[in-house]
Amino acid sequence: MTDPILIAGSPGSPYTRKMLAVLRYRRLPYHFVHASKVRDTLPAPKVPLLPTFYFADGAGSPVPMTDSTPIIRRLEAEHGGRSVIPSDPALALIDALIEDYGDEWLTKAMFHYRWSFEPDIAKSATVLPNWFGKPLTDAELKALGDSFGGRQIGRLSYVGSNAVTAATIEASYTRLLAILDRHFARHAFLLGDQPGSGDFAMYGQLTQLAMFDPTPMAAATAAAPRVIAWAHVMEDLSGETPSGWVDLAALPATITALLCEIGRTYVPLLIANAYAVRGGADRVSTVIDGRVWEQAPFAYQAKCLAALRTQYDALDTGARARVNHALAGTGCGALFADE
């Protein structure tokens, strides 16, 4: 056993839920505290995101780290066994693409549903403040709920949810539920008989979409009961026995359908956003799924695209050919095409 990893987060954060599930599956000891309880006692991260992991530096002092994807890679490097990264580098790229989609596209649906519909706003404003780590009186709860809700609603346009994009986000979520429900009728996880980082990214968002927020949860209940059940199972896989990864040459048709959904929605946004960030534009304007998409540029997602391309470029010729074959016809190949 190693020393427990200290994590500050919140149950209402899909990335907190993602990373706690990773730690349980990998059987890595941890201490979890609500972020509000360490705000004044531990170093603040450069970007205040949840969860915050605190790793010891050479002198034993805690150093904050917040980005879930590189945290997973760091844990892989420091702790052996029960890996969430496929051993085949080509399949690992597919897993990374799915993880990125969950983290960066599906979160748009999570944020959109939570802060665009009155029942969802009301539930979040009255429940989430109680997860801040201390008891609240009725007056304190109302004040915190109003403040928190107002701040989050104000961030909708930042993540890409607005009157122009709403229909695209909702249609994409509906299709995703159908794809995943078909997939989980025959498979326990996305890329084999053990979970990858992509599973945990999707799970994190679904803890809110399919398990908490009324409007998207109702959609999942009606159309994708397997997805709800899968998300509950994903929460604690500490007793799961890893049984191997799928062969990239024999991806299930449902995973190809998932890649088509990624190519239909997230890929054109990533590419348009990268052009906007590179050109210093103040607006991303493109067409996704036949509809206009407009939002502010997001520098972090330009970094996500660069990271995927770096991973692709590092593949040897054979692995790259296998990735290209798996992505053929899905629209995802545009991520790695020469510009």
Side-chain angles (χ1 to χ4, degrees):
M1 297 289 288
T2 59
D3 291 336
I5 301 166
L6 177 61
I7 307 140
S10 169
S13 156
Y15 304 100
T16 297
R17 301 287 286 273
K18 169 189 177 182
M19 293 309 300
L20 291 178
V22 167
L23 292 169
R24 293 187 194 107
Y25 172 69
R26 299 210 58 210
R27 299 175 182 168
L28 299 178
Y30 65 89
H31 285 162
F32 173 70
V33 295
H34 195 280
S36 63
K37 294 188 175 182
V38 298
R39 189 168 292 132
D40 299 325
T41 59
L42 288 172
K46 292 180 180 179
V47 181
L49 298 175
L50 298 181
T52 301
F53 276 55
Y54 290 92
F55 294 103
D57 64 12
S61 300
V63 177
M65 186 174 180
T66 58
D67 193 333
S68 65
T69 297
I71 290 172
I72 285 177
R73 276 67 183 168
R74 175 169 180 162
L75 294 174
E76 290 280 327
E78 295 180 354
H79 304 276
R82 300 179 69 83
S83 174
V84 299
I85 305 295
S87 51
D88 173 10
L91 186 63
L93 177 62
I94 302 300
D95 179 57
L97 176 56
I98 295 172
E99 180 185 13
D100 201 53
Y101 166 83
D103 284 346
E104 301 299 326
W105 175 267
L106 192 53
T107 196
K108 296 181 186 300
M110 191 283 294
F111 219 88
H112 167 75
Y113 281 107
R114 175 165 290 177
W115 301 112
S116 298
F117 295 85
E118 286 304 321
D120 305 75
I121 294 171
K123 183 176 181 180
S124 292
T126 52
V127 174
L128 267 59
N130 289 295
W131 284 343
F132 286 1
K134 66 175 184 178
L136 299 171
T137 66
D138 289 348
E140 289 171 331
L141 176 57
K142 185 178 188 312
L144 269 176
D146 290 347
S147 172
F148 181 68
R151 186 168 66 252
Q152 297 299 87
I153 291 170
R155 293 185 66 237
L156 277 171
S157 60
Y158 180 72
V159 299
S161 168
N162 53 58
V164 177
T165 64
T168 300
I169 292 171
E170 293 171 22
S172 177
Y173 177 63
T174 299
R175 291 192 301 269
L176 177 66
L177 288 177
I179 292 167
L180 293 181
D181 199 65
R182 292 198 307 272
H183 182 78
F184 295 134
R186 300 188 63 182
H187 307 280
F189 304 106
L190 294 177
L191 296 177
D193 295 322
Q194 62 190 82
S197 61
D199 290 84
F200 290 105
M202 300 282 267
Y203 155 78
Q205 304 300 327
L206 289 168
T207 62
Q208 314 304 309
L209 285 161
M211 296 165 62
F212 182 85
D213 294 306
T215 301
M217 185 167 62
T221 301
R226 295 182 184 91
V227 174
I228 298 174
W230 177 81
H232 281 284
V233 170
M234 282 288 297
E235 186 165 7
D236 190 344
L237 295 174
S238 58
E240 184 73 19
T241 301
S243 302
W245 302 102
V246 70
D247 184 345
L248 182 57
L251 284 179
T254 43
I255 294 303
T256 300
L258 174 59
L259 293 171
C260 287
E261 179 61 26
I262 295 172
R264 181 176 182 171
T265 53
Y266 185 47
V267 167
L269 175 61
L270 268 185
I271 293 172
N273 179 74
Y275 276 116
V277 169
R278 187 182 311 153
D282 60 3
R283 201 78 184 150
V284 177
S285 183
T286 188
V287 175
I288 297 177
D289 195 26
R291 303 179 187 89
V292 172
W293 181 282
E294 291 185 353
Q295 71 167 90
F298 194 6
Y300 180 79
Q301 289 182 350
K303 294 180 180 179
C304 292
L305 176 55
L308 288 170
R309 286 175 170 170
T310 296
Q311 188 171 345
Y312 176 83
D313 290 343
L315 297 174
D316 63 33
T317 303
R320 203 175 301 169
R322 289 188 295 117
V323 167
N324 293 343
H325 179 75
L327 297 182
T330 67
C332 293
L335 291 176
F336 310 114
D338 291 336
E339 295 185 71

